[in-house]
Amino acid sequence: MRGLYYFVLWIFPIFPSTIQNEIPVPCYKVPQTCMKKANVLSCIEEGMRTCLLKAPRILIPNFFSIAVSSEGMVDTGRGYKIHVSEEALERSSSRREETSKEVELIVSILNETLFQGNDSNESRSILHGQSVLGVWLGLTEIRNLSQPIQLRFINTNQSANGVCVYWHLDKNGKGNWSTDGCNTIIDGGEFVCSCNHLSFFAVLITRCALPEESELQRGGARRSPLHRLVRFSLFDRQMKRSY
């Protein structure tokens, strides 16, 4: 019997870390857990699709989740509204029972300091609310939608101009802001982003007056690619309003 006790004591220290790694993290704890990783954003992106659907005991200002079964507008109660399209629901896969038509919509509000771009000028970009909205729907990566997802950034400062952007994540964990697949409209002083995919979203703010075309050409070499893209997007929007 003494030999058996030695054998048991020898086995148990081997496995605890392995077992802990296999236990899913509650969704609302994913960002906090990923802060310890080298590639924080990649960790969050992957973790939100495999996390445990466990509601927090208290209200968490930076986290929201709800089961969605049909197309419609969802108010997060945190300054954002999200319209989920029927196509997005059809493409998503539920992490609930196989017969369930409900898909979990998960929203995480992240600090802009996590999004350090390859371009130093982009890292200093001004974002609406100084926050980034991470959105996930079910287990499947959603992209190339013909019926876009709409994100409404409410209580917007109406004196500011802005463009909807998403974070294009590189394999090395870095990335940059991009407008690909997203359109911007202003409805009642609020920014509405219509995007054909899910990702990390934000509204890039500029309070500067729109420059003349000659100024854009002269300063083009000094501005980051994203800054030039945003300026031209705002200029294009203003031109369309004048017709």
Side-chain angles (χ1 to χ4, degrees):
M1 292 297 292
R2 180 178 299 176
L4 177 60
Y5 288 132
Y6 286 140
F7 180 73
V8 172
L9 290 174
W10 179 261
I11 285 182
F12 274 98
I14 299 178
F15 294 97
S17 61
T18 304
I19 295 174
Q20 289 175 3
N21 290 338
E22 294 179 352
I23 298 176
V25 177
C27 297
Y28 65 91
K29 288 187 176 180
V30 168
Q32 178 183 356
T33 303
C34 289
M35 293 301 174
K36 305 172 185 177
K37 305 295 184 180
N39 295 331
V40 176
L41 295 179
S42 297
C43 175
I44 294 175
E45 179 71 32
E46 181 180 353
M48 284 300 188
R49 294 197 180 94
T50 59
C51 57
L52 182 64
L53 295 177
K54 181 179 180 181
R57 295 181 180 179
I58 60 175
L59 178 66
I60 298 180
N62 296 332
F63 177 82
F64 174 84
S65 68
I66 190 173
V68 181
S69 59
S70 60
E71 178 178 358
M73 182 72 74
V74 176
D75 188 348
T76 66
R78 289 151 177 81
Y80 306 93
K81 292 182 180 180
I82 301 173
H83 182 272
V84 181
S85 67
E86 182 178 355
E87 182 186 7
L89 285 171
E90 292 175 351
R91 289 202 192 182
S92 62
S93 57
S94 176
R95 63 181 79 193
R96 298 171 182 267
E97 296 81 2
E98 293 184 0
T99 57
S100 176
K101 295 183 179 180
E102 292 185 333
V103 179
E104 200 73 15
L105 174 67
I106 298 177
V107 178
S108 182
I109 305 171
L110 304 169
N111 192 286
E112 64 177 353
T113 57
L114 294 176
F115 298 82
Q116 300 299 320
N118 296 318
D119 190 307
S120 59
N121 290 325
E122 293 183 11
S123 300
R124 295 191 296 268
S125 300
I126 301 175
L127 302 182
H128 169 65
Q130 297 181 324
S131 300
V132 178
L133 197 67
V135 184
W136 296 268
L137 188 65
L139 297 171
T140 310
E141 182 178 0
I142 306 296
R143 63 173 70 180
N144 298 325
L145 294 171
S146 58
Q147 300 174 4
I149 296 280
Q150 283 193 345
L151 304 98
R152 180 178 287 266
F153 293 72
I154 65 177
N155 297 327
T156 301
N157 182 353
Q158 298 187 25
S159 65
N161 289 308
V163 173
C164 298
V165 292
Y166 82 97
W167 187 254
H168 178 72
L169 193 61
D170 294 339
K171 294 181 179 179
N172 61 1
K174 293 288 186 178
N176 58 275
W177 293 114
S178 173
T179 59
D180 291 345
C182 289
N183 293 321
T184 309
I185 62 172
I186 298 180
D187 181 21
E190 300 174 354
F191 291 113
V192 180
C193 304
S194 297
C195 299
N196 65 3
H197 57 276
L198 293 180
S199 180
F200 300 105
F201 299 100
V203 174
L204 192 66
I205 296 295
T206 175
R207 292 181 174 85
C208 302
L210 291 173
E212 299 296 333
E213 182 177 359
S214 58
E215 182 184 344
L216 284 170
Q217 293 172 349
R218 291 195 303 270
R222 297 190 300 272
R223 296 188 177 94
S224 69
L226 177 62
H227 189 271
R228 293 196 299 270
L229 178 60
V230 169
R231 303 297 286 177
F232 277 115
S233 298
L234 293 172
F235 180 77
D236 180 65
R237 187 195 305 166
Q238 190 178 69
M239 291 296 293
K240 289 179 179 179
R241 288 177 180 174
S242 62
Y243 286 100

